[in-house]
Amino acid sequence: MSNWILGLTGGIGSGKSTVANLFAAEGVTIVDADQIARELVLPGQPALLQILDHFGGQILNANGELDRGALRQQIFAHPQEKQWLNQLLHPLIRNTLLQRCREASGNYVILMAPLLFENALETWVNRTLCIDVREQTQIARTCQRDGNTPELVQAIMASQLPRAERLQRSDDYIDNDQLTPSELQRAVRQLHIKYLALSSQHLP
Ligand code: ADP
């Protein structure tokens, strides 16, 4: 069981998933907030039934799955609905995340959340690591990865904390702008050694 949690964050396209994979290769368990958020609204989950009850059948697609586009449109048309949705989902996401972290084996566990600070998840972690790149790198890498337009990526970035504030609130950071894959791996290994030491000194 792991008691010591590292919060891994960074804006869209900064390299969080890439870094998480490198920590996973060192044997660290990754608990992914976005993945849990998706799991909690799968068909049959209580949260999906509540969303259906609230918004009606129009937010389901033909397969009975949550139609995220339809839900986004509802929220866009009625901004107060976002608060309703967050009040339903955020405690569920937080409880599931923390339970998975507690169940994980190893000296420490990583909680990966793009919105770690925005959703006040940093209160639940022992230390935070921010993956940082320049905004233009974020846009270029995300467009290349997802085939999105720069405008869409910029809109997502505008919904996240400004880069400087995220950096300032983090304990550690990796400047992932210019690193080659092997340099990034080295940076992760160094931090892994540091987190092994910190977590072993930590008393539950
Ligand atoms: P995030 O999970 O933060 O959205 P990703 O880990 O998916 O970001 O990285 C975004 C894109 O940038 C991916 O296509 C990834 O392969 C690439 N990438 C990550 N780090 C680097 C790097 N140091 N140099 C070049 N490309 C990188």
Side-chain angles (χ1 to χ4, degrees), residues 77-142:
H78 312 282
Q80 74 280 11
E81 297 293 12
K82 185 166 186 181
Q83 205 185 342
W84 181 88
L85 197 64
N86 285 348
Q87 275 170 1
L88 169 71
L89 291 177
H90 283 185
L92 277 175
I93 295 169
R94 189 177 63 233
N95 290 341
T96 311
L97 274 174
L98 295 175
Q99 192 189 339
R100 300 250 175 109
C101 285
R102 279 193 293 270
E103 287 165 0
S105 57
N107 298 54
Y108 72 97
V109 57
I110 290 181
L111 191 167
M112 171 163 84
L115 303 179
L116 188 83
F117 297 112
E118 292 86 335
N119 290 337
L121 288 168
E122 87 271 27
T123 15
W124 303 92
V125 305
N126 299 84
R127 199 171 175 92
T128 50
L129 169 63
C130 176
I131 313 306
D132 181 59
V133 294
R134 289 171 304 153
E135 276 109 355
Q136 64 197 81
T137 308
Q138 271 183 279
I139 296 169
R141 286 184 183 164
T142 308

Side-chain angles (χ1 to χ4, degrees), residues 17-33:
S17 312
T18 308
V19 166
N21 287 338
L22 290 169
F23 275 104
E26 301 293 328
V28 183
T29 299
I30 311 294
V31 178
D32 177 344

Side-chain angles (χ1 to χ4, degrees), residues 9-21 112 131 133 137-138 141-142 144-146 176-181 184:
T9 193
I12 182 169
S14 57
K16 287 177 302 298
S17 312
T18 308
V19 166
N21 287 338
M112 171 163 84
I131 313 306
V133 294
T137 308
Q138 271 183 279
R141 286 184 183 164
T142 308
Q144 199 176 12
R145 183 190 63 191
D146 301 337
N176 188 31
D177 221 299
Q178 311 286 335
L179 298 184
T180 64
L184 184 57

